[in-house]
Structure formats: C-alpha cells, structure tokens
Amino acid sequence: MSSAQKIRVAVIGASGYTGADLVRLAYAHPNMEIVALTANSHAGKPMEAVFPHLSGLGLPGLVTNDEVDWSGVDAAFCGLPHATSQQVIKVLPEHLKIVDMSADFRLRNPETYRQWYGNEHAALDLQADAVYGLTEHYRDQIAGARLVACPGCYPTAVLMLLLPLVAAGLIDASDLVIDAKSGVSGAGRALKQNTLFCEAGEGMGPYSIGKHRHAPEIEQELSLAAGREVIVNFTPHLVPMSRGEFITAYARLAPGKTAGDCHDVLAERYDDEAFVNMAPDGVMPATQLVRGSNRVMMGVVPDRIEGRVVLLSTLDNLVKGSAGQAVQNFNLMFGLPEATGLEQVTLFP
C-alpha cells in the first residue's frame, strides 16, 4: 500500500469514550480518512456537540447506521455495547474490514458467551471467523482477517503480562490471583450512579467480584497457552481517575524458577515490540507513565513469600486497552507499518 493512500473509515458508536478516542487517533493517522460517524442517540448532531474537544477538525456529522453509504467505506471500527455490535456487524457489506471493540466476538465458545452475557450469539458464522485482536500475540492471523475482535482492556493488560510466563511454564497457571484497577472511563459514558463524581471520587472499591465478564476472556487465552483449563481469581476495582489501568498479579513460581527468570522471559519476548517494555531498573510501572500512549509497561518483583512472584502491568485503557490497539490491528489488516498513527509518547504529568 502506498504511504499516501487513504483508507475510508467509519466509526460506529462514535459518541462513547472509546469511539471518541478512536476518532482522535484516526484523525491524525496518515492513511485514514474519516467518512462516517454513527451514534443513534445523537444522530443529527455535529461531533463537536457531543465532544467539544474534537471541534474544528472538519469531521462528518453523526448519523444512524442506516444513513451511511457503505459502498464508500473501506473499514469500520465498532464501539457499540455487547449484543448490539453483533446485530450491526452481521448486516454490514462483505467488502468491509471490521475492527470490533466490543465483547461480541472475543469468546471463541458460543456457550461461554451465552453463559456470561445472557443471550444467544446472533452472528455465529462471523464469530467462527473472528480473530482475537491481541496484536503482539496474533499478528499473523490479524493481518489476514476480515473481522478482528479487540480484547477488553483488563484482558489486554493481564494477558500481555501472563501469556509468555504461562507458555514458558515459569508460573503455576492454577494459582493466579489478579488484582485489577481501572479508571472510571472503563465503565463507559452512560449515566450510572456508581460513576457519578460524588460516588466514585475520593475513594476506591471493587466491583463484579467473581463475575466480571473479562474473566472468561482471560481464562480462554491462558488455557490455550497452558494446554489445559485455567481458572483465575480476578477482582477489578474502580479508581477515581479518568483513564488508566493497573494489574497486580500474584503467582506461584514453577519449581526451580525465579522472579529473575520471569523478568528475562518477558524482556526477551517483547524486546522487538514497539509498544511493550519492562520498567527501567529502580522504577515501578505506574499509570501516569503510559497515559495517552499505546504502551504497556511491565515489572517483576520477588515476593517475600518464598516461591512466589509479584507481576505488574499498566496501560491506558482507552488507547492500548481499546482504540489504540484497534488502530494497531487496522494497520496490520491493511499492510501498513504497525506503529502508523500511534507514535505519540506518554502524556506526563
């Protein structure tokens, strides 16, 4: 593909946080031309009426999906809620390449989807062909895919950290405790009592203990790496910040293995990756060190309990945890350099 060629893209569900961040990244992408923005509840409005920070960019107005002339679109990013995405995507023209940021195509087993999301999958033929979009681990499959299912923000942070260690047999996959924390944007933009400033500010608390829908996604991928069923202890927490995600995972080391071995395997596995790095010596990963970027920063610390290790991972939930990874996958699908449009460094402080 020519470096000057423009790919015409639509953002479905552009009025949500992930949709807006996708628009922000797409606008600056040298190979993307935004030709359609959809948001049913805000149809008829200019994008800047919903997100004033995107004013002055000459963006198309918000319309319904039915109003889009799909013959003039090459690729679609979908940022709709679960159960809605599958209904929309299944009727899109076959010439479109699609990057879905919802949960609808992440789970390979339709029964697992029904169990955790409470409804039968409405696009099983598409689900069977969808590629799981954890870019650094499935890039070959992503490059040839028509439909890519971007991982959830928590699974991205967890799996980037744990997959290499489980695959190498360095940690016991049957003894994993994952403490996860996310900024409030991870709960979406819809009005909810628990995300009101007075409810979420100046405090922190867990939610969906033992029943968070990202757990089966994490288990699906870790089970593939381990070659057997893996069940994890996963507890998410809501933190009073707008964006950011932090994972602290506690694991039992395999006999004879050390925290140093874990560090070395992670460092080697991601040595050539543009968006994944180990924290520098003497530095602990922190959300403010990746904010606004498409980066994952990781760390490894020996536990004071013999034979155990503490594993750390952080990312921006709206970028590498969603829109940034979606753009990364888009680049692969269209044969572009993977980092195109994602070169921004961390916003600090």
Side-chain angles (χ1 to χ4, degrees):
M1 172 170 289
S2 166
S3 61
Q5 184 174 346
K6 293 289 188 179
I7 301 160
R8 299 165 298 177
V9 304
V11 181
I12 302 171
S15 63
Y17 288 135
T18 57
D21 232 33
L22 196 288
V23 171
R24 176 179 69 90
L25 296 173
Y27 177 79
H29 193 291
N31 295 99
M32 287 195 208
E33 178 186 0
I34 303 172
V35 296
L37 300 173
T38 81
N40 288 350
S41 62
H42 292 286
K45 300 178 183 178
M47 187 65 168
E48 61 192 46
V50 181
F51 288 107
H53 74 289
L54 297 175
S55 63
L57 303 183
L59 296 170
L62 293 163
V63 297
T64 65
N65 295 328
D66 292 338
E67 294 177 275
V68 177
D69 178 7
W70 294 106
S71 66
V73 181
D74 303 308
F77 294 93
C78 191
L80 297 172
H82 74 271
T84 305
S85 279
Q86 57 190 273
Q87 299 287 353
V88 170
I89 290 173
K90 74 176 183 178
V91 298
L92 292 177
E94 292 186 3
H95 77 272
L96 290 175
K97 291 190 177 184
I98 302 164
V99 183
D100 185 27
M101 297 182 288
S102 83
D104 275 359
F105 296 95
R106 295 171 184 163
L107 296 174
R108 294 179 171 89
N109 187 333
E111 175 56 28
T112 304
Y113 177 85
R114 185 200 64 76
Q115 176 186 346
W116 284 85
Y117 287 90
N119 56 277
E120 300 293 336
H121 203 288
L124 290 178
D125 55 335
L126 291 176
Q127 194 275 335
D129 294 329
V131 173
Y132 190 67
L134 189 66
T135 317
E136 286 78 7
H137 289 266
Y138 291 106
R139 57 168 47 95
D140 290 343
Q141 297 95 314
I142 292 166
R146 180 198 170 228
L147 170 59
V148 171
C150 286
C153 50
Y154 283 132
T156 297
V158 171
L159 294 171
M160 295 290 284
L161 179 66
L162 297 184
L163 276 178
L165 304 180
V166 170
L170 291 181
I171 58 176
D172 182 357
S174 65
D175 186 4
L176 292 173
V177 178
I178 301 166
D179 181 290
K181 297 176 176 66
S182 176
V184 181
S185 61
R189 204 184 189 201
L191 184 62
K192 307 181 187 78
Q193 179 175 317
N194 69 311
T195 61
L196 296 173
F197 177 80
C198 288
E199 304 279 341
E202 301 181 35
M204 184 186 73
Y207 64 99
S208 298
I209 300 175
K211 57 182 181 181
H212 194 280
R213 288 166 168 169
H214 284 177
E217 189 181 336
I218 293 168
E219 292 165 352
Q220 168 183 272
E221 298 304 309
L222 290 180
S223 295
L224 287 172
R228 58 183 175 82
E229 185 180 20
V230 171
I231 305 296
V232 299
N233 187 321
F234 173 74
T235 302
H237 303 74
L238 198 65
V239 179
M241 58 185 179
S242 60
R243 59 168 76 211
E245 196 152 281
F246 198 93
I247 302 298
T248 306
Y250 304 91
R252 183 180 303 279
L253 290 160
K257 303 301 180 181
T258 67
D261 296 330
C262 293
H263 181 281
D264 292 346
V265 164
L266 289 171
E268 181 178 359
R269 172 60 179 81
Y270 296 118
D271 181 54
D272 295 327
E273 297 292 351
F275 299 120
V276 189
N277 69 284
M278 304 301 294
D281 290 344
V283 175
M284 286 292 104
T287 58
Q288 63 265 42
L289 301 181
V290 296
R291 186 171 183 264
S293 77
N294 197 51
R295 296 174 60 203
V296 180
M297 181 180 286
M298 299 185 295
V300 177
V301 181
D303 199 327
R304 60 187 290 268
I305 303 174
E306 186 175 354
R308 298 192 67 86
V309 63
V310 180
L311 304 160
L312 310 169
S313 176
T314 188
L315 53 74
D316 186 316
N317 60 295
L318 293 179
V319 188
K320 183 59 172 174
S322 188
Q325 188 162 215
V327 171
Q328 198 176 345
N329 290 330
F330 166 93
N331 289 337
L332 285 171
M333 296 166 78
F334 283 91
L336 297 167
E338 198 171 307
T340 304
L342 296 169
E343 296 89 350
Q344 66 274 13
V345 298
T346 298
L347 178 64
F348 186 90

